Amino acid sequence: MGHALGLKFSDYGQIYYFDSGAFVVNKDDSVIVKTDQGMGLGTVITVSPEAPKDIPEEELKPIFRLATEEDMVTAGENDTLAREAFSFCRRCISERGLEMKLVDVEVFFDRGKIIFYFTAPGRVDFRELVKDLVKNYRTRIELRQIGVRHETQMLGAVGNCGMVTCCRRFMRKFAPVTIKMAKEQNLFLNPTKISGICGRLLCCLSFEEKNYAEFYRQCPKIGKRMETDDGILKVLRANFFRNSIAVLSEFGEERELTLDEWHALNPRRIDPQELQRRLQEAQASMRSKPRPPRPRGKGGKPPHRPEKGAPKQDEAAPKPEQDAAPAEQPGQPDAPQPAEADDAQRSDKQGKDAPKGKGKKRRPQQRAKGKPAGDSQGGDPRQKNRPRRKPRRKPRHKGNKSE
């Protein structure tokens, strides 16, 4: 048996292993191999004396032969055909109004098959499109729908870190990424920070998953109280980069301990009743501690405090008392008026100025339609609840009786 060769048929494709057989092959050489879908031209990526552990040596197929100059010319023609097929397929998609996005075109080495990779939000009826492609190229046509991650892998992009995405450079298989990985790494759950160019969670979150799992396996559960040689300690948080945890003592003191220091304190579980009793004792001891001295002013003198009853500096000066309204002076008797005019004035003020309990009872006036309640007697409705002032009674004119 020869060497195990790792071949790639495209820049973003996976690595397939073959046996070199009787050929002497070096790295970056081109070879022709026989695959399940026909002859293919591959580039040698790795050369090792033994196959990987997960691949048995019996399954390695030998290569067909080394590539020649004619094979390289044929490969160049296939690349030109792929670009032409890409433009033709996009024109057909726009003419038929299909909701799909063409990503890449792959032409087999012997042109026995052409694969069109596309993305779409749902199922697409592309039967008429396949007929147009078969009629133009006279070979087998396959339309393969891919996801957004494979699209980014084929096209390539620059990630948030400023480098080319990992899926384009070295990743060949996509591992599942969950939001739990971001929570374990204490990341902000902001979609713009933990998502990649493809809109999915960053693939690099899964790179350190094993390290974080091993670290949290050695750490105590966050938020749990445990009894140690230094008393009862509560675990607040864990720091993966410092390999430490932050704890809070029963007296309210917070400190940071490494995992080695934590295990040296001999942590152990504590009975809930004992825990409650110890916490109550700690609170009682904290209350019995003397209070710190009050702050002193300059020269060791206590700060000045105003005496009781003294006005504060920021209080405003008392407002001057408002001048009392002048008392009403009794009005002077009016000039003598005719009896008819006096009776007319009294009739206008019969419901307003007439004294209560004197005189003849009058019927209440009916409220006019469309007017407010306060306008029925000509008064302001806002003065309804104000105390009524007893009206002054004008002296009646005692004139000479008419003959």
Side-chain angles (χ1 to χ4, degrees), residues 285-296 305:
S285 63
M286 292 176 64
R287 292 172 185 171
S288 62
K289 288 182 179 180
R291 295 184 178 179
R294 294 180 179 178
R296 295 283 180 174
R305 291 186 179 181

Side-chain angles (χ1 to χ4, degrees), residues 8 20 34 58 68 79 92-93 95 121 125 147 250 295 305 364:
K8 286 178 61 175
S20 62
K34 186 179 293 185
E58 295 79 10
T68 60
D79 294 340
C92 294
I93 290 173
E95 291 176 357
D125 186 8
E250 52 189 337
R305 291 186 179 181

Side-chain angles (χ1 to χ4, degrees), residues 197-345:
I197 302 298
C198 58
R200 301 292 188 267
L201 293 176
L202 291 169
C203 296
C204 55
L205 294 178
S206 62
F207 295 167
E208 300 179 358
E209 179 187 7
K210 295 182 180 179
N211 297 334
Y212 274 94
E214 182 64 24
F215 171 72
Y216 284 111
R217 192 179 297 112
Q218 301 176 7
C219 292
K221 189 176 181 180
I222 297 177
K224 190 174 183 180
R225 285 187 173 91
M226 301 187 70
E227 185 178 4
T228 63
D229 297 342
D230 288 353
I232 298 177
L233 299 179
K234 180 182 177 181
V235 183
L236 298 180
R237 55 188 174 272
N239 194 326
F240 170 75
F241 298 99
R242 294 185 179 182
N243 197 28
S244 63
I245 58 174
V247 296
L248 182 68
S249 66
E250 52 189 337
F251 299 101
E253 180 184 359
E254 181 178 344
R255 54 179 177 168
E256 188 174 2
L257 302 174
T258 62
L259 290 182
D260 296 337
E261 295 175 352
W262 168 257
H263 293 301
L265 294 177
N266 191 18
R268 52 195 178 275
R269 295 183 180 180
I270 185 173
D271 186 25
Q273 297 180 358
E274 180 67 16
L275 173 63
Q276 187 69 17
R277 185 184 65 81
R278 295 277 295 275
L279 292 178
Q280 291 177 358
E281 292 178 356
Q283 292 177 1
S285 63
M286 292 176 64
R287 292 172 185 171
S288 62
K289 288 182 179 180
R291 295 184 178 179
R294 294 180 179 178
R296 295 283 180 174
K298 294 182 179 180
K301 297 181 179 181
H304 173 71
R305 291 186 179 181
E307 298 180 358
K308 293 184 178 180
K312 298 182 180 179
Q313 296 180 0
D314 56 348
E315 289 184 354
K319 298 181 179 179
E321 297 182 357
Q322 298 180 358
D323 296 335
E328 295 184 357
Q329 301 293 336
Q332 299 295 334
D334 298 334
Q337 296 180 359
E340 297 179 358
D342 192 13
D343 295 338
Q345 291 180 2

Side-chain angles (χ1 to χ4, degrees), residues 110-220:
D110 55 358
R111 299 185 185 179
K113 190 177 183 180
I114 302 177
I115 302 178
F116 295 83
Y117 299 94
F118 71 95
T119 59
R123 297 179 61 89
V124 181
D125 186 8
F126 47 75
R127 289 176 292 183
E128 298 298 329
L129 177 62
V130 173
K131 293 179 181 179
D132 296 342
L133 297 175
V134 171
K135 183 178 179 180
N136 190 26
Y137 295 105
R138 299 292 181 179
T139 185
R140 289 187 300 167
I141 301 296
E142 179 183 353
L143 270 74
R144 186 177 300 177
Q145 186 173 359
I146 60 176
V148 290
R149 286 190 170 185
H150 289 87
E151 177 187 3
T152 307
Q153 185 184 47
M154 291 182 177
L155 300 179
V158 178
N160 300 337
C161 58
M163 302 181 66
V164 180
T165 54
C166 302
C167 56
R168 178 68 178 182
R169 286 187 297 159
F170 60 88
M171 285 184 62
R172 297 297 168 256
K173 294 183 180 180
F174 293 100
V177 184
T178 60
I179 195 68
K180 181 181 178 182
M181 299 179 182
K183 292 181 179 179
E184 290 180 351
Q185 299 178 23
N186 298 326
L187 299 177
F188 292 104
L189 301 182
N190 187 355
T192 59
K193 299 293 183 180
I194 61 177
S195 300
I197 302 298
C198 58
R200 301 292 188 267
L201 293 176
L202 291 169
C203 296
C204 55
L205 294 178
S206 62
F207 295 167
E208 300 179 358
E209 179 187 7
K210 295 182 180 179
N211 297 334
Y212 274 94
E214 182 64 24
F215 171 72
Y216 284 111
R217 192 179 297 112
Q218 301 176 7
C219 292

